[in-house]
Amino acid sequence: MRRLLKDPLLWIFLVFALYPAIPYIGNFISLGSELLLWFIFTLSFNLCLGQTGLPSFGHGAFYGLGSYAAAITYLKLSGEGGGFLAPLVGGIVVGTAAAGLLGWFIKDKRGVYFAMLTVAFTQVCFGICWRWDEVTGGEAGLSGIVRTTFLGIDMKNLHNFYYLCFVVFVIAALIIRSISRSCFGLSLQSVRQNHIRSQYLGYNCNMYKFVVYALSGAFAGLSGALYCLLTQSAFADILDWSKSGDVVMATLLGGGTVSFYGPIVGSLIFIICKNLLSSLWDHWLFIYGMSFVIILCLFPTGLMGVFKRRAASKA
Amino acid sequence: MSLFKITGLTKRFGAMAAINDVSVNIEHGGIMSIIGPNGAGKTTFFNLLTGFIKPNAGQILYKDQDVTRLKPYQIIKYGISRSFQVVSLFEEMTVLDNVIVGTQRNMGYMNRLFARYDRQKDVRDKAMDILDRVGMAHMAELPAASIPHGDRKILDLSMALTTNPETLLLDEPMAGLSKAERLRITNVIKTLSQSHKVILVEHDMDLVFSISETILVLHHGEVLACGEPGTIADNEEVQSAYLGREVA
Amino acid sequence: MLTLSLFLNGIVLGLVYAAVALGFSLVLGVSGVINFAHSITFTFGAYFFWAMYKHVGYLPAMLLAPAAVAVIGFFVERLVIRRVYGQDPLFGLLITLGFAMGMEELIRMVFGPATHNVDAPSFANGVIIFGNFLYSQYRLFIALVAAIMVAAVWLFTEKSRYGTVVKAGMFNSEMVGALGHDLYKMRIWILVLGSFIAGLAGILAAPIWSVKSGMGSSILMPSFLIVLMGGLGSIPGTLVAGLMVGITLSMGVLVAPRFVDIMPYILMGLIVYFWPRGLMGQQNIIE
């Protein structure tokens, strides 16, 4: 019990279970949902970056393709009053497939080359979604998605939808953390820390990179699908590489390379800045960009890195 | 059946042949050492045997099985394991976790998605067992980056043991060690040679001649001589190529 | 005729890309930093030029604006880039990307969000006529200036004594010290030079693409991929890769006008995938 109470994840769950009751911020219920989606997204991204050392600059592609998949599944298959599940499954399937496809081809690439091939991939996906009017709606995007009922709960109500996201987040976070602490997670760590040694212990490193990339794509696709249902639309701009850059930056800022909770801290800062700071001052990106530079120059392991070092020096 | 049967092995870097048409049978007999002057091709030969680089031509048979073009993670399965000259560890893990990475792979736990790696008792016991054998059990919980260089060398070696190898290839296990540490590693290698076939590349001539049962001498990418330490020391060609310089 | 003018457009575009990529490549080679803040020097060049060319005249502004950008480059090196020397190239990439994001916002803050137009200079405002073929004089002017820039950098690294040291440093930065030059000073000078080139490229592009705060980030990724495509440290490689991208972008319209944007990325992806060292590269620091 005491160990459970010390678990930071429990406290994160508690805070977000009570989110709608938090004064001021609690009023922005869509912001809360977006936060939860970003948590899922960046946590899954960090399976690549922090756990396996894969610098993917193309995760926005899986998020974006997931949201298109959800929209198309909804419009073509479920239609008005149709199921809620099909779009989510569609997002997961497409996210996994896209990441698996890309991962299969670039699993033996490293560092900058890996990163740039993911950029090329996401830009190609972006270009296709932006121009393929018949399927993706082109520049206008897809709209007409309506959240209906799910398991008898009215999803038009934003609070109900928030709690759906919350449940998905809880499940996803528990799964991802359990993976990161598992035997498989240790195998991934070994690939990141020393891939040559790892091979001489019998690990087929490229295969692990491929599997974790596809796995991460599944969660990215899922969060993209939820994003589509949240905004009731799908647009191409989330596939641009700069959006993937935001994910990498937020994860690094939070300290994803040293801590499981880094992505959560990072997305909290990024999403809050993007949605709240921007309403106070148009040029919030100036502050965000400069703070990113200053913090990372001073503490290369990010915010959780500072926290961890403090804890270590106290102990 | 030879341990290694090598025929026509050639590795070129650009125009230079680091290993030139080497054919040799390595019979098993206790500890074997590969020696030769700098630039003789020892490291290249070692890397070819362990699948780290691919030869331009030739064949390597390990106990009559072709292992010539296998990748490192495949060669492990034949019972070949290696250590590294420049210590190669998982620097952000503890000593124990470094070994667990190997033992969990060996015991088939490596793909378990939802089992905590640090709670697998048999994997952990096996890892502690290995650390115990090399006398490092008391360091198990220390970060690998924080322990002294001699212990890091031994940890590197004990990681090579996790794959349950029959043959251990050690790449300059003495490099950069103090006299006391050399003695310690020599004892570890002697102990290991009772249960494993050991092949080493080494510069330390005292060690090579004191513990080897067979010595293979490489010179200009070719095999100059192969035999017992006594015959090698008396071999005039070897003396002129290599030992001669030290004697003179 | 359309084909010919698209082809020429492609070459013009390619030369501009190549010029920007050259600065990128020089900095990456000598300093080991993937400097994504390179994009803001391109933008700053265009904005400074827009702000001054009506007051000081076209040609003086073409020298003054890049000079001002070079000064900015100096401060960027002192404030940000020197902190990431010797670190993982991707870490440097992210730091400079964050910096570029902030600076791009600063540009919006100072110059406003509107898009500005720059007139082509009076001496190159017309068209050139060959028989029944018409081509914009200004585009030829751009090609000329960009080609001079590329040639100047090439001459600098091939013929001048300091330039040969720079070239050696692009393959092995330890060589710089061994040849008796101060590596830290060289890194500053190369960044200043790279900024100057990018600033000038921004000016050349201004009348065609118009001046806006996002112009740098839209050229950033293509120019970095051109560096990888051409091969690190190879000036001819960068030039060839730049021309390939430029021509693909403009000629692609004939093949699939809707999907022309993705063609250079497919091209880059294939080249980087199959030839990791690029078209004319040698072994380098980011492998």
Side-chain angles (χ1 to χ4, degrees):
Chain A
M1 191 62 200
R2 172 165 285 172
R3 203 161 62 198
L4 194 68
L5 282 178
K6 273 190 170 174
D7 189 344
L9 207 49
L10 179 81
W11 294 100
I12 294 169
F13 289 161
L14 210 62
V15 168
F16 281 90
L18 300 173
Y19 178 89
I22 300 174
Y24 185 65
I25 290 188
N27 298 329
F28 302 96
I29 196 74
S30 293
L31 172 69
S33 310
E34 198 180 342
L35 268 175
L36 294 175
L37 302 188
W38 257 68
F39 290 165
I40 304 174
F41 184 28
T42 50
L43 281 174
S44 76
F45 166 73
N46 206 38
L47 272 180
C48 290
L49 183 74
Q51 193 86 15
T52 324
L54 296 179
S56 170
F57 274 66
H59 256 59
F62 315 132
Y63 186 73
L65 291 177
S67 85
Y68 271 112
I72 293 168
T73 325
Y74 178 88
L75 294 171
K76 295 266 147 82
L77 293 183
S78 17
E80 200 72 35
F84 219 76
L85 213 53
L88 294 186
V89 173
I92 294 175
V93 169
V94 170
T96 317
L101 181 76
L102 177 62
W104 182 260
F105 283 104
I106 64 173
K107 62 186 189 300
D108 58 337
K109 304 287 173 187
R110 297 170 42 72
V112 175
Y113 291 95
F114 186 94
M116 289 310 131
L117 286 167
T118 59
V119 167
F121 178 81
T122 190
Q123 285 304 101
V124 170
C125 290
F126 167 72
I128 292 173
C129 292
W130 184 248
R131 290 283 176 225
W132 198 10
D133 301 347
E134 297 83 350
V135 174
T136 62
E139 287 177 48
L142 291 172
S143 52
I145 298 120
V146 184
R147 289 192 302 268
T148 50
T149 54
F150 180 56
L151 298 175
I153 304 164
D154 176 22
M155 285 297 160
K156 286 202 190 79
N157 181 328
L158 275 172
H159 279 84
N160 291 346
F161 185 71
Y162 173 84
Y163 280 104
L164 174 75
C165 293
F166 177 72
V167 170
V168 177
F169 163 64
V170 168
I171 296 169
L174 288 175
I175 291 178
I176 293 173
R177 189 171 68 167
S178 150
I179 289 173
S180 71
R181 288 173 169 184
S182 69
C183 296
F184 183 71
L186 187 71
S187 307
L188 296 179
Q189 276 289 342
S190 81
V191 174
R192 175 174 77 87
Q193 292 188 22
N194 187 340
H195 72 112
I196 290 173
R197 185 81 218 207
S198 179
Q199 288 191 46
Y200 274 105
L201 295 176
Y203 291 93
N204 181 350
C205 293
N206 292 347
M207 222 47 183
Y208 280 89
K209 282 154 85 174
F210 161 66
V211 170
V212 79
Y213 207 61
L215 186 70
S216 167
F219 285 104
L222 169 67
S223 44
L226 284 169
Y227 185 68
C228 160
L229 293 170
L230 172 68
T231 58
Q232 310 200 31
S233 58
F235 288 104
D237 59 342
I238 50 175
L239 282 107
D240 191 75
W241 76 267
S242 58
K243 298 292 183 295
S244 303
D246 290 342
V247 177
V248 187
M249 283 170 69
T251 305
L252 205 66
L253 179 65
T257 48
V258 292
S259 163
F260 173 80
Y261 306 99
I264 295 185
V265 175
S267 0
L268 205 59
I269 294 172
F270 179 70
I271 295 293
I272 299 257
C273 281
K274 192 178 89 159
N275 290 289
L276 293 183
L277 197 59
S278 63
S279 62
L280 298 177
W281 195 43
D282 284 344
H283 304 292
W284 67 279
L285 257 177
F286 177 69
I287 294 184
Y288 179 74
M290 291 303 146
S291 328
F292 176 84
V293 174
I294 292 167
I295 291 171
L296 266 284
C297 280
L298 295 176
F299 315 107
T301 49
L303 294 172
M304 283 307 288
V306 184
F307 185 74
K308 270 203 159 177
R309 207 162 47 185
R310 277 243 172 119
S313 66
K314 261 185 205 164
Chain B
M1 184 170 68
S2 315
L3 191 63
F4 279 104
K5 186 173 194 298
I6 293 156
T7 36
L9 195 66
T10 302
K11 178 67 189 180
R12 281 184 289 269
F13 293 110
M16 194 197 71
I19 289 292
N20 191 11
D21 195 20
V22 165
S23 296
V24 63
N25 282 354
I26 297 175
E27 307 294 338
H28 171 242
I31 299 173
M32 195 194 105
S33 300
I34 301 168
I35 62 168
N38 280 330
K42 300 186 298 285
T43 306
T44 310
F45 188 64
F46 189 90
N47 284 335
L48 285 167
L49 285 189
T50 52
F52 192 65
I53 51 178
K54 307 266 170 285
N56 297 99
Q59 195 184 36
I60 304 168
L61 295 183
Y62 176 74
K63 296 168 87 182
D64 292 344
Q65 294 157 301
D66 192 347
V67 297
T68 317
R69 278 162 208 287
L70 293 184
K71 299 202 170 74
Y73 67 89
Q74 294 167 321
I75 227 163
I76 297 300
K77 294 175 192 150
Y78 290 79
I80 303 173
S81 188
R82 72 169 287 178
S83 74
F84 289 79
Q85 179 185 353
V86 178
V87 177
S88 177
L89 309 177
F90 304 113
E91 297 287 348
E92 294 166 35
M93 297 183 190
T94 64
V95 169
L96 180 62
D97 287 354
N98 264 279
V99 183
I100 284 182
V101 173
T103 49
Q104 74 163 14
R105 173 68 189 78
N106 186 246
M107 299 169 79
Y109 282 64
M110 67 290 181
N111 293 334
R112 298 201 172 180
L113 269 177
F114 298 110
R116 280 189 67 157
Y117 78 87
D118 49 355
R119 301 232 177 107
Q120 307 306 313
K121 198 169 174 306
D122 32 355
V123 172
R124 199 187 156 89
D125 286 349
K126 176 91 181 290
M128 282 308 290
D129 194 45
I130 289 173
L131 284 178
D132 218 21
R133 268 165 73 193
V134 296
M136 281 188 65
H138 60 288
M139 293 184 161
E141 299 301 333
L142 295 177
S146 72
I147 60 175
H149 185 63
D151 291 304
R152 285 164 62 83
K153 274 294 226 213
I154 292 183
L155 176 57
D156 188 289
L157 211 154
S158 55
M159 285 163 78
L161 293 175
T162 58
T163 61
N164 258 344
E166 187 185 5
T167 305
L168 264 177
L169 290 107
L170 308 180
D171 192 2
E172 301 202 21
M174 301 294 168
L177 291 182
S178 71
K179 201 150 198 179
E181 288 168 327
R182 278 163 188 250
L183 199 65
R184 194 171 142 213
I185 278 225
T186 310
N187 287 330
V188 171
I189 294 175
K190 275 184 179 163
T191 321
L192 289 176
S193 71
Q194 287 160 14
S195 47
H196 301 77
K197 298 165 184 179
V198 178
I199 297 176
L200 33 119
V201 167
E202 186 49 64
H203 272 299
D204 185 334
M205 284 303 131
D206 292 339
L207 173 83
V208 167
F209 280 90
S210 68
I211 69 172
S212 310
E213 278 168 44
T214 321
I215 293 176
L216 178 77
V217 189
L218 289 176
H219 189 45
H220 295 313
E222 289 168 12
V223 175
L224 198 63
C226 184
E228 288 170 15
T231 30
I232 294 293
D234 294 338
N235 186 316
E236 281 177 18
E237 268 187 286
V238 174
Q239 282 174 358
S240 67
Y242 184 22
L243 302 171
R245 256 181 293 165
E246 282 187 5
V247 174
Chain C
M1 285 304 113
L2 176 67
T3 319
L4 182 60
S5 78
L6 285 178
F7 182 72
L8 286 177
N9 280 352
I11 287 183
V12 173
L13 186 61
L15 283 167
V16 174
Y17 273 137
V20 177
L22 263 188
F24 227 132
S25 181
L26 284 170
V27 172
L28 177 53
V30 174
S31 312
V33 177
I34 299 174
N35 176 23
F36 269 26
H38 198 55
S39 66
I40 58 162
T41 54
F42 183 81
T43 321
F44 266 122
Y47 269 95
F48 285 164
F49 181 78
W50 165 77
M52 65 170 75
Y53 83 108
K54 284 199 172 139
H55 306 288
V56 298
Y58 201 94
L59 288 178
M62 264 185 80
L63 268 181
L64 285 174
V69 173
V71 174
I72 289 181
F74 173 79
F75 284 108
V76 170
E77 200 276 348
R78 290 288 82 190
L79 290 172
V80 183
I81 294 181
R82 72 183 171 92
R83 293 175 202 280
V84 296
Y85 287 151
Q87 305 238 31
D88 185 329
L90 285 167
F91 183 74
L93 183 158
L94 285 166
I95 293 280
T96 49
L97 177 63
F99 185 74
M101 261 169 71
M103 292 311 277
E104 195 179 308
E105 199 56 49
L106 182 73
I107 291 173
R108 259 196 290 280
M109 202 152 66
V110 174
F111 294 99
T115 301
H116 305 286
N117 291 315
V118 169
D119 308 323
S122 50
F123 55 83
N125 206 6
V127 289
I128 284 183
I129 305 170
F130 298 106
N132 59 355
F133 177 69
L134 305 178
Y135 198 73
S136 147
Q137 276 184 359
Y138 184 69
R139 284 183 187 258
L140 288 180
F141 174 69
I142 295 177
L144 184 71
V145 177
I148 290 173
M149 272 198 287
V150 174
V153 172
W154 182 76
L155 278 177
F156 166 68
T157 58
E158 291 295 323
K159 302 292 171 198
S160 79
R161 190 179 287 175
Y162 195 66
T164 46
V165 181
V166 168
K167 198 180 167 194
M170 288 176 76
F171 292 111
N172 183 356
S173 51
E174 283 169 18
M175 283 297 292
V176 176
L179 294 170
H181 287 266
D182 185 344
L183 180 61
Y184 280 87
K185 263 190 198 150
M186 178 176 287
R187 285 172 165 172
I188 298 174
W189 281 118
I190 289 301
L191 201 95
V192 167
L193 175 70
S195 307
F196 185 91
I197 298 173
L200 191 52
I203 295 170
L204 294 176
I208 305 180
W209 294 346
S210 70
V211 180
K212 50 186 178 250
S213 58
M215 64 190 294
S217 43
S218 62
I219 199 173
L220 175 66
M221 197 46 88
S223 58
F224 180 57
L225 284 163
I226 286 169
V227 173
L228 289 184
M229 275 168 81
L232 218 66
S234 162
I235 293 174
T238 308
L239 179 63
V240 171
L243 288 175
M244 275 167 72
V245 169
I247 292 170
T248 316
L249 267 174
S250 78
M251 304 278 284
V253 179
L254 298 173
V255 186
R258 275 159 75 193
F259 296 107
V260 71
D261 292 338
I262 67 174
M263 286 178 194
Y265 285 100
I266 293 175
L267 186 70
M268 292 158 187
L270 289 176
I271 289 182
V272 172
Y273 185 79
F274 289 106
W275 294 279
R277 286 178 186 174
L279 297 170
M280 303 184 185
Q282 298 176 29
Q283 186 165 18
N284 62 58
I285 47 157
I286 57 173
E287 271 179 32

